[in-house]
């Protein structure tokens, strides 16, 4: 597998010259062995001809050449150590004899000039280049964990959390490249390098090129056959969309261990690519299938932008680790929440599956539900996308909230008629409280979860953009009779997300999208298979097909009770008339955890100082509760914030909370 390949390699030249390359083996086994022997002989003799100690003629620095890291048509990549600092580089060494033709040297120079200007944490860093009489030397960032190609070779397939981890970093690096108007044009697993700390770096800019206008785009066919896009094969030109297509191929390969269009015949591979014809095995999760399908869309203009990829349900609804251990290079990771929790959930797993026979029976039952679940998921996804496109088409380009519509009584307001701040907050929430503040089940069935998020976002944004600046937290007002999350556990890599409400209800949003609540009396369970559709049964008479989930629910409850402390002093007053909350969606960033509930309650927990923001609707107004670092809570009517404002630190938390909510709704 190539680690680093020059833009001017003979292989690249052949690919750029023609859309076809023979995949047939040599006709004679003897000639094959003979040519292989010659190649091995040449490779053995090459290192002996190259000096082990290399000196930069301009700086006088000496470098010691180490082991071979990879090779391409023009160049070999070696480990290279600066003898004065002991810093280790990956050195791409190109003999002058291999770039003797002017166009070959121009390609090397173009690669150097392009790469040296790139500075991003997910791009292989370019340090220095020099040349002597024999070779050109390019010193690059050394990635000790080699590449994703090496990792996949050892692992065969990667887990979805790992794929999210790597894809986030690839998208970050690729977004930077596209912002610099640079196309990579050769995205594949062998060109994603992994550092000592398991950070991914996009490398090998041998085929990279500046983005041209649509009419002047490059139409040469170059890249790796399995990752070429239909428009490149059809010589329609390279654009950012071609890199997006390759990203889809990369995601598919990581999850399934093979490229989506791989066949035994190159002509057939190209035919499949042109037709965007590939299979999506049932082993893939519905969100993974949908994301791959959108990335591998035949029409370039229908593929998602990089900004939208990370907002896809594949990322939002699934667990994404912040770090991976080095052991992931050769074995599957063991994700867990904490060592005490691990023992609890091992017991839960045993209770859930029992023996091997029970486990097989469980998966047989699960597989029967797969097609039905996928259809429900696709329907929900399509409805949400439709709602989002309708919303976004009404927004002005600067992203601010729309002005009131013409039929509202604030279209033309004179100074004498100007509404008070209390009126303003009513206008902001007008038309939304009535539909979602009571039981919310009907609201969810009609408008899906996206409607709840959209309502909360509009209220939150309206408050932030209209309230004045203030130095002190205003005096609290409003009732504290609200439900909020006091404890939570993320164990979504196996089961789901668990939480405890302030009224002692324990809920779990399972990975399959179903939700189960254990009520405070510990005798009643509410089960939601679909939004707004509830089944109720006692804990002493659990239906057979729910036994596994109820067991896990109880272990979540037991773990949180035994190991976690409450997150603040805010106590919920029990009110049997209050609607039952259940979690619709949660989202974790590097700074905070967001939770959105069926009645519009919106909570954000900040990790570093344990502060929390809770927004909920009660009767005719919205209440915002802030729990500070000392776990002391203050509740305000949103109208009071519009009148008096709030201090900078609270405002920043509100703005960040809004950004998370908008990310969820994208």
């Amino acid at each position: 597998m190539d680690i680093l390949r020059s833009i001017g390699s003979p292989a690249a030249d052949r690919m750029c010259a023609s859309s076809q390359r023979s995949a047939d083996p040599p006709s004679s086994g003897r000639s094959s062995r003979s040519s292989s022997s010659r190649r091995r002989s040449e490779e053995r003799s090459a290192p002996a001809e190259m000096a082990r100690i290399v000196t930069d003629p301009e700086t006088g620095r000496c470098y010691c050449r180490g082991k071979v890291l990879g090779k391409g048509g023009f160049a070999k990549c070696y480990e290279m150590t600066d003898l004065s600092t002991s810093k280790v580089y990956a050195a791409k060494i190109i003999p002058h004899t291999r770039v003797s033709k002017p166009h070959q040297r121009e390609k090397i120079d173009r690669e150097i000039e392009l790469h040296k200007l790139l500075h991003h944490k997910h791009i292989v860093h370019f340090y220095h280049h020099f040349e002597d009489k024999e070779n050109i030397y390019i010193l690059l960032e050394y990635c000790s964990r080699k590449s994703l190609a090496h990792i996949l070779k050892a692992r065969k397939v990667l887990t979805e959390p790992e794929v999210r981890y790597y894809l986030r970093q690839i998208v970050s690096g690729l977004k930077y490249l596209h912002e610099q108007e640079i196309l990579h044009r050769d995205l594949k697993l062998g060109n994603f390098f992994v550092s000592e700390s398991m950070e991914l770096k996009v490398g090998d800019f041998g085929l990279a090129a500046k983005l041209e206008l649509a009419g002047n785009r490059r139409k040469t066919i170059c890249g790796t056959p399995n990752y070429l896009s239909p428009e490149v094969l059809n010589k329609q030109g390279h654009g950012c969309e071609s890199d997006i297509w390759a990203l889809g191929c990369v995601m598919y390969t990581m999850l399934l261990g093979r490229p989506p269009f791989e066949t035994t015949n190159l002509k057939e591979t190209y035919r499949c690519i042109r037709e965007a014809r590939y299979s999506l095995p049932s082993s893939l999760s519905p969100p993974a299938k949908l994301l791959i399908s959108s990335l591998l869309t035949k029409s370039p203009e229908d593929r998602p932008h990089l900004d939208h990829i990370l907002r896809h349900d594949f990322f939002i609804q699934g667990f994404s680790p912040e770090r991976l251990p080095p052991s992931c290079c050769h074995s599957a990771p063991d994700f867990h929440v904490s060592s005490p929790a691990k023992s609890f959930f091992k017991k839960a797993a045993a209770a859930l599956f029992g023996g091997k026979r029970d486990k097989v029976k469980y998966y047989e039952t699960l597989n029967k539900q797969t097609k039905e679940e996928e259809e429900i998921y696709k329907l929900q996804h399509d409805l949400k996308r439709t709602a989002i496109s309708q919303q976004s088409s009404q927004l002005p380009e600067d992203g601010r909230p729309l002005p009131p519509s013409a039929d509202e009584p604030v279209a033309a307001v004179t100074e004498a008629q100007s509404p008070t701040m209390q009126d303003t907050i009513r206008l902001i929430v007008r038309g939304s409280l009535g539909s979602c503040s009571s039981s919310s089940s009907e609201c969810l069935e009609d408008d899906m979860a996206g409607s709840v998020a959209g309502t909360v976002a509009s209220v939150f944004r309206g408050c932030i953009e209209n309230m004045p600046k203030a130095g002190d937290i205003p005096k609290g007002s409003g009732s504290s009779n609200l439900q909020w999350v006091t404890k939570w556990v993320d164990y979504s890599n196996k089961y789901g997300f668990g939480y405890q409400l302030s009224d002692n209800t324990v809920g779990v949003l399972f990975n399959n999208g179903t939700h189960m609540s254990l009520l405070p009396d510990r005798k009643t369970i509410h089960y939601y298979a679909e939004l707004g559709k509830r089944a109720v049964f006692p804990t002493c008479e659990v239906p057979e097909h729910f036994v596994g989930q109820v067991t896990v629910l109880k272990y979540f409850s037991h773990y949180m009770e035994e190991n976690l402390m409450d997150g603040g002093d805010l106590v919920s007053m029990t009110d049997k008339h209050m609607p039952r909350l259940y979690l619709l969606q949660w989202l974790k960033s590097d700074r905070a955890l967001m939770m959105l509930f069926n009645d519009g309650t919106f909570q954000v927990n900040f990790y570093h100082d344990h502060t929390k923001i809770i927004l909920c609707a009660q009767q005719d107004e919205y209440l915002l509760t802030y729990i500070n670092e000392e776990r002391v809570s203050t509740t305000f009517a949103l109208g009071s914030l519009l009148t008096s404002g709030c201090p900078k630190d609270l405002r920043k938390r509100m703005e960040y909370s809004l950004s998370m909510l908008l990310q969820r709704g994208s």
Side-chain angles (χ1 to χ4, degrees), residues 571-601:
V571 179
S572 174
M573 293 185 291
T574 304
D575 184 349
K576 63 182 181 180
H577 299 296
M578 289 185 70
R580 288 292 173 192
L581 261 65
Y582 59 93
L583 188 66
L584 291 182
Q585 200 165 47
W586 59 278
L587 174 67
K588 286 171 75 175
S589 73
D590 57 350
R591 288 182 55 189
L593 163 72
M594 180 205 85
M595 292 165 285
L596 181 67
F597 288 85
N598 60 309
D599 74 335
T601 296

mmCIF file of all heavy atoms in Angstrom, residues 571-601:
data_model
loop_
_atom_site.group_PDB
_atom_site.id
_atom_site.type_symbol
_atom_site.label_atom_id
_atom_site.label_comp_id
_atom_site.label_asym_id
_atom_site.label_seq_id
_atom_site.Cartn_x
_atom_site.Cartn_y
_atom_site.Cartn_z
ATOM 1 N N VAL A 571 -35.329 21.629 43.120
ATOM 2 C CA VAL A 571 -36.169 20.474 43.448
ATOM 3 C C VAL A 571 -37.498 20.596 42.718
ATOM 4 O O VAL A 571 -38.135 21.646 42.725
ATOM 5 C CB VAL A 571 -36.413 20.372 44.966
ATOM 6 C CG1 VAL A 571 -37.320 19.180 45.270
ATOM 7 C CG2 VAL A 571 -35.095 20.246 45.710
ATOM 8 N N SER A 572 -37.911 19.510 42.089
ATOM 9 C CA SER A 572 -39.187 19.510 41.377
ATOM 10 C C SER A 572 -40.317 19.150 42.331
ATOM 11 O O SER A 572 -40.230 18.172 43.061
ATOM 12 C CB SER A 572 -39.149 18.498 40.229
ATOM 13 O OG SER A 572 -40.402 18.393 39.617
ATOM 14 N N MET A 573 -41.365 19.962 42.326
ATOM 15 C CA MET A 573 -42.548 19.647 43.139
ATOM 16 C C MET A 573 -43.436 18.691 42.350
ATOM 17 O O MET A 573 -43.780 18.958 41.202
ATOM 18 C CB MET A 573 -43.304 20.930 43.463
ATOM 19 C CG MET A 573 -42.532 21.881 44.378
ATOM 20 S SD MET A 573 -43.498 23.323 44.854
ATOM 21 C CE MET A 573 -43.615 24.191 43.308
ATOM 22 N N THR A 574 -43.782 17.578 42.971
ATOM 23 C CA THR A 574 -44.567 16.560 42.283
ATOM 24 C C THR A 574 -45.958 17.097 41.954
ATOM 25 O O THR A 574 -46.649 17.629 42.802
ATOM 26 C CB THR A 574 -44.696 15.301 43.151
ATOM 27 O OG1 THR A 574 -43.388 14.852 43.487
ATOM 28 C CG2 THR A 574 -45.428 14.209 42.413
ATOM 29 N N ASP A 575 -46.311 16.969 40.706
ATOM 30 C CA ASP A 575 -47.625 17.430 40.248
ATOM 31 C C ASP A 575 -48.134 16.407 39.241
ATOM 32 O O ASP A 575 -47.592 16.283 38.138
ATOM 33 C CB ASP A 575 -47.503 18.818 39.602
ATOM 34 C CG ASP A 575 -48.868 19.376 39.193
ATOM 35 O OD1 ASP A 575 -49.851 18.613 39.228
ATOM 36 O OD2 ASP A 575 -48.924 20.566 38.846
ATOM 37 N N LYS A 576 -49.172 15.672 39.621
ATOM 38 C CA LYS A 576 -49.647 14.598 38.744
ATOM 39 C C LYS A 576 -50.238 15.131 37.444
ATOM 40 O O LYS A 576 -50.429 14.380 36.490
ATOM 41 C CB LYS A 576 -50.692 13.746 39.474
ATOM 42 C CG LYS A 576 -51.962 14.501 39.860
ATOM 43 C CD LYS A 576 -52.910 13.589 40.610
ATOM 44 C CE LYS A 576 -54.201 14.324 40.993
ATOM 45 N NZ LYS A 576 -55.124 13.422 41.733
ATOM 46 N N HIS A 577 -50.528 16.441 37.411
ATOM 47 C CA HIS A 577 -51.091 17.021 36.191
ATOM 48 C C HIS A 577 -50.009 17.465 35.199
ATOM 49 O O HIS A 577 -50.321 17.821 34.070
ATOM 50 C CB HIS A 577 -51.990 18.212 36.538
ATOM 51 C CG HIS A 577 -53.159 17.838 37.403
ATOM 52 N ND1 HIS A 577 -54.158 16.992 36.975
ATOM 53 C CD2 HIS A 577 -53.468 18.182 38.689
ATOM 54 C CE1 HIS A 577 -55.058 16.835 37.945
ATOM 55 N NE2 HIS A 577 -54.653 17.541 38.997
ATOM 56 N N MET A 578 -48.753 17.478 35.649
ATOM 57 C CA MET A 578 -47.673 17.848 34.733
ATOM 58 C C MET A 578 -47.477 16.745 33.697
ATOM 59 O O MET A 578 -47.601 15.560 34.017
ATOM 60 C CB MET A 578 -46.363 18.066 35.498
ATOM 61 C CG MET A 578 -46.354 19.322 36.361
ATOM 62 S SD MET A 578 -44.753 19.603 37.127
ATOM 63 C CE MET A 578 -43.776 20.067 35.700
ATOM 64 N N PRO A 579 -47.182 17.104 32.448
ATOM 65 C CA PRO A 579 -47.003 16.079 31.404
ATOM 66 C C PRO A 579 -45.767 15.226 31.681
ATOM 67 O O PRO A 579 -44.811 15.685 32.294
ATOM 68 C CB PRO A 579 -46.812 16.917 30.125
ATOM 69 C CG PRO A 579 -46.316 18.237 30.599
ATOM 70 C CD PRO A 579 -46.971 18.469 31.933
ATOM 71 N N ARG A 580 -45.822 13.984 31.252
ATOM 72 C CA ARG A 580 -44.691 13.091 31.395
ATOM 73 C C ARG A 580 -43.634 13.429 30.349
ATOM 74 O O ARG A 580 -43.908 13.449 29.158
ATOM 75 C CB ARG A 580 -45.128 11.640 31.228
ATOM 76 C CG ARG A 580 -45.938 11.120 32.408
ATOM 77 C CD ARG A 580 -45.074 11.009 33.650
ATOM 78 N NE ARG A 580 -45.866 10.659 34.828
ATOM 79 C CZ ARG A 580 -45.403 10.718 36.062
ATOM 80 N NH1 ARG A 580 -44.171 11.133 36.289
ATOM 81 N NH2 ARG A 580 -46.166 10.381 37.073
ATOM 82 N N LEU A 581 -42.407 13.696 30.819
ATOM 83 C CA LEU A 581 -41.318 14.021 29.900
ATOM 84 C C LEU A 581 -40.649 12.746 29.400
ATOM 85 O O LEU A 581 -40.496 11.778 30.159
ATOM 86 C CB LEU A 581 -40.253 14.878 30.606
ATOM 87 C CG LEU A 581 -40.314 16.386 30.364
ATOM 88 C CD1 LEU A 581 -41.587 16.935 30.954
ATOM 89 C CD2 LEU A 581 -39.097 17.063 30.958
ATOM 90 N N TYR A 582 -40.290 12.759 28.151
ATOM 91 C CA TYR A 582 -39.382 11.728 27.653
ATOM 92 C C TYR A 582 -38.459 12.355 26.603
ATOM 93 O O TYR A 582 -38.821 13.291 25.895
ATOM 94 C CB TYR A 582 -40.125 10.507 27.097
ATOM 95 C CG TYR A 582 -41.082 10.749 25.961
ATOM 96 C CD1 TYR A 582 -40.678 10.622 24.639
ATOM 97 C CD2 TYR A 582 -42.412 11.079 26.216
ATOM 98 C CE1 TYR A 582 -41.561 10.812 23.595
ATOM 99 C CE2 TYR A 582 -43.311 11.274 25.185
ATOM 100 C CZ TYR A 582 -42.873 11.139 23.867
ATOM 101 O OH TYR A 582 -43.754 11.334 22.836
ATOM 102 N N LEU A 583 -37.254 11.841 26.540
ATOM 103 C CA LEU A 583 -36.192 12.432 25.731
ATOM 104 C C LEU A 583 -36.427 12.177 24.248
ATOM 105 O O LEU A 583 -36.684 11.037 23.837
ATOM 106 C CB LEU A 583 -34.840 11.838 26.156
ATOM 107 C CG LEU A 583 -33.580 12.455 25.559
ATOM 108 C CD1 LEU A 583 -33.397 13.889 26.027
ATOM 109 C CD2 LEU A 583 -32.352 11.617 25.962
ATOM 110 N N LEU A 584 -36.353 13.251 23.455
ATOM 111 C CA LEU A 584 -36.457 13.112 21.999
ATOM 112 C C LEU A 584 -35.088 12.942 21.364
ATOM 113 O O LEU A 584 -34.892 12.129 20.468
ATOM 114 C CB LEU A 584 -37.117 14.359 21.388
ATOM 115 C CG LEU A 584 -38.582 14.596 21.676
ATOM 116 C CD1 LEU A 584 -39.042 15.848 20.940
ATOM 117 C CD2 LEU A 584 -39.420 13.401 21.250
ATOM 118 N N GLN A 585 -34.133 13.744 21.838
ATOM 119 C CA GLN A 585 -32.812 13.733 21.208
ATOM 120 C C GLN A 585 -31.782 14.335 22.140
ATOM 121 O O GLN A 585 -32.106 15.164 22.983
ATOM 122 C CB GLN A 585 -32.836 14.521 19.892
ATOM 123 C CG GLN A 585 -31.699 14.165 18.950
ATOM 124 C CD GLN A 585 -31.959 14.672 17.542
ATOM 125 O OE1 GLN A 585 -32.345 15.811 17.367
ATOM 126 N NE2 GLN A 585 -31.753 13.844 16.555
ATOM 127 N N TRP A 586 -30.555 13.873 22.017
ATOM 128 C CA TRP A 586 -29.456 14.428 22.792
ATOM 129 C C TRP A 586 -28.267 14.617 21.867
ATOM 130 O O TRP A 586 -28.151 13.971 20.833
ATOM 131 C CB TRP A 586 -29.099 13.517 23.975
ATOM 132 C CG TRP A 586 -28.702 12.124 23.587
ATOM 133 C CD1 TRP A 586 -29.537 11.083 23.289
ATOM 134 C CD2 TRP A 586 -27.380 11.614 23.448
ATOM 135 N NE1 TRP A 586 -28.824 9.959 22.969
ATOM 136 C CE2 TRP A 586 -27.505 10.254 23.070
ATOM 137 C CE3 TRP A 586 -26.111 12.162 23.617
ATOM 138 C CZ2 TRP A 586 -26.386 9.444 22.845
ATOM 139 C CZ3 TRP A 586 -25.007 11.357 23.394
ATOM 140 C CH2 TRP A 586 -25.147 10.014 23.020
ATOM 141 N N LEU A 587 -27.393 15.521 22.249
ATOM 142 C CA LEU A 587 -26.234 15.855 21.417
ATOM 143 C C LEU A 587 -25.088 16.258 22.321
ATOM 144 O O LEU A 587 -25.256 17.066 23.228
ATOM 145 C CB LEU A 587 -26.589 17.001 20.463
ATOM 146 C CG LEU A 587 -25.447 17.579 19.616
ATOM 147 C CD1 LEU A 587 -24.961 16.549 18.612
ATOM 148 C CD2 LEU A 587 -25.903 18.843 18.895
ATOM 149 N N LYS A 588 -23.925 15.677 22.080
ATOM 150 C CA LYS A 588 -22.738 16.025 22.863
ATOM 151 C C LYS A 588 -21.734 16.748 21.981
ATOM 152 O O LYS A 588 -21.483 16.345 20.851
ATOM 153 C CB LYS A 588 -22.085 14.759 23.435
ATOM 154 C CG LYS A 588 -22.849 14.149 24.596
ATOM 155 C CD LYS A 588 -22.291 12.801 24.985
ATOM 156 C CE LYS A 588 -20.976 12.939 25.733
ATOM 157 N NZ LYS A 588 -20.492 11.619 26.210
ATOM 158 N N SER A 589 -21.166 17.825 22.525
ATOM 159 C CA SER A 589 -20.050 18.500 21.873
ATOM 160 C C SER A 589 -18.856 18.388 22.805
ATOM 161 O O SER A 589 -18.914 17.729 23.840
ATOM 162 C CB SER A 589 -20.385 19.974 21.606
ATOM 163 O OG SER A 589 -20.371 20.706 22.825
ATOM 164 N N ASP A 590 -17.746 19.044 22.455
ATOM 165 C CA ASP A 590 -16.577 19.001 23.328
ATOM 166 C C ASP A 590 -16.757 19.873 24.566
ATOM 167 O O ASP A 590 -15.954 19.816 25.490
ATOM 168 C CB ASP A 590 -15.316 19.424 22.571
ATOM 169 C CG ASP A 590 -15.448 20.809 21.963
ATOM 170 O OD1 ASP A 590 -16.572 21.355 21.977
ATOM 171 O OD2 ASP A 590 -14.445 21.340 21.474
ATOM 172 N N ARG A 591 -17.839 20.673 24.615
ATOM 173 C CA ARG A 591 -18.057 21.578 25.745
ATOM 174 C C ARG A 591 -19.298 21.261 26.567
ATOM 175 O O ARG A 591 -19.356 21.586 27.755
ATOM 176 C CB ARG A 591 -18.178 23.028 25.240
ATOM 177 C CG ARG A 591 -16.883 23.640 24.758
ATOM 178 C CD ARG A 591 -17.112 25.079 24.337
ATOM 179 N NE ARG A 591 -17.727 25.887 25.386
ATOM 180 C CZ ARG A 591 -18.184 27.117 25.204
ATOM 181 N NH1 ARG A 591 -18.120 27.672 24.004
ATOM 182 N NH2 ARG A 591 -18.714 27.792 26.205
ATOM 183 N N ALA A 592 -20.283 20.639 25.945
ATOM 184 C CA ALA A 592 -21.566 20.532 26.645
ATOM 185 C C ALA A 592 -22.393 19.359 26.141
ATOM 186 O O ALA A 592 -22.114 18.768 25.094
ATOM 187 C CB ALA A 592 -22.353 21.838 26.480
ATOM 188 N N LEU A 593 -23.433 19.034 26.926
ATOM 189 C CA LEU A 593 -24.426 18.031 26.571
ATOM 190 C C LEU A 593 -25.768 18.733 26.423
ATOM 191 O O LEU A 593 -26.180 19.492 27.302
ATOM 192 C CB LEU A 593 -24.517 16.968 27.669
ATOM 193 C CG LEU A 593 -25.764 16.073 27.667
ATOM 194 C CD1 LEU A 593 -25.714 15.094 26.502
ATOM 195 C CD2 LEU A 593 -25.886 15.327 28.986
ATOM 196 N N MET A 594 -26.465 18.482 25.302
ATOM 197 C CA MET A 594 -27.779 19.062 25.058
ATOM 198 C C MET A 594 -28.832 17.962 25.110
ATOM 199 O O MET A 594 -28.607 16.860 24.590
ATOM 200 C CB MET A 594 -27.817 19.721 23.681
ATOM 201 C CG MET A 594 -29.153 20.357 23.332
ATOM 202 S SD MET A 594 -29.430 20.472 21.538
ATOM 203 C CE MET A 594 -30.103 18.852 21.192
ATOM 204 N N MET A 595 -29.973 18.261 25.728
ATOM 205 C CA MET A 595 -31.093 17.311 25.781
ATOM 206 C C MET A 595 -32.387 18.039 25.429
ATOM 207 O O MET A 595 -32.660 19.109 25.971
ATOM 208 C CB MET A 595 -31.187 16.688 27.177
ATOM 209 C CG MET A 595 -30.022 15.777 27.529
ATOM 210 S SD MET A 595 -29.893 15.382 29.297
ATOM 211 C CE MET A 595 -29.240 16.923 29.948
ATOM 212 N N LEU A 596 -33.164 17.464 24.539
ATOM 213 C CA LEU A 596 -34.423 18.053 24.084
ATOM 214 C C LEU A 596 -35.553 17.073 24.378
ATOM 215 O O LEU A 596 -35.472 15.896 24.007
ATOM 216 C CB LEU A 596 -34.368 18.349 22.585
ATOM 217 C CG LEU A 596 -35.608 18.999 21.968
ATOM 218 C CD1 LEU A 596 -35.800 20.415 22.500
ATOM 219 C CD2 LEU A 596 -35.499 19.015 20.442
ATOM 220 N N PHE A 597 -36.623 17.564 25.053
ATOM 221 C CA PHE A 597 -37.707 16.697 25.489
ATOM 222 C C PHE A 597 -39.000 16.965 24.725
ATOM 223 O O PHE A 597 -39.138 17.981 24.040
ATOM 224 C CB PHE A 597 -37.930 16.875 26.997
ATOM 225 C CG PHE A 597 -36.832 16.276 27.823
ATOM 226 C CD1 PHE A 597 -35.674 16.999 28.080
ATOM 227 C CD2 PHE A 597 -36.938 14.986 28.316
ATOM 228 C CE1 PHE A 597 -34.646 16.448 28.833
ATOM 229 C CE2 PHE A 597 -35.917 14.427 29.061
ATOM 230 C CZ PHE A 597 -34.762 15.153 29.322
ATOM 231 N N ASN A 598 -39.952 16.046 24.899
ATOM 232 C CA ASN A 598 -41.176 16.067 24.108
ATOM 233 C C ASN A 598 -42.029 17.298 24.341
ATOM 234 O O ASN A 598 -42.770 17.723 23.462
ATOM 235 C CB ASN A 598 -42.005 14.809 24.401
ATOM 236 C CG ASN A 598 -42.396 14.695 25.870
ATOM 237 O OD1 ASN A 598 -41.540 14.795 26.749
ATOM 238 N ND2 ASN A 598 -43.664 14.500 26.145
ATOM 239 N N ASP A 599 -41.957 17.916 25.527
ATOM 240 C CA ASP A 599 -42.802 19.081 25.790
ATOM 241 C C ASP A 599 -42.084 20.392 25.482
ATOM 242 O O ASP A 599 -42.585 21.466 25.795
ATOM 243 C CB ASP A 599 -43.275 19.079 27.246
ATOM 244 C CG ASP A 599 -42.162 19.451 28.219
ATOM 245 O OD1 ASP A 599 -40.971 19.240 27.872
ATOM 246 O OD2 ASP A 599 -42.472 19.954 29.316
ATOM 247 N N GLY A 600 -40.915 20.316 24.866
ATOM 248 C CA GLY A 600 -40.151 21.514 24.541
ATOM 249 C C GLY A 600 -39.130 21.896 25.590
ATOM 250 O O GLY A 600 -38.397 22.867 25.408
ATOM 251 N N THR A 601 -39.049 21.159 26.694
ATOM 252 C CA THR A 601 -37.998 21.434 27.677
ATOM 253 C C THR A 601 -36.637 21.183 27.041
ATOM 254 O O THR A 601 -36.426 20.157 26.382
ATOM 255 C CB THR A 601 -38.169 20.540 28.925
ATOM 256 O OG1 THR A 601 -39.396 20.885 29.570
ATOM 257 C CG2 THR A 601 -37.016 20.737 29.900
#
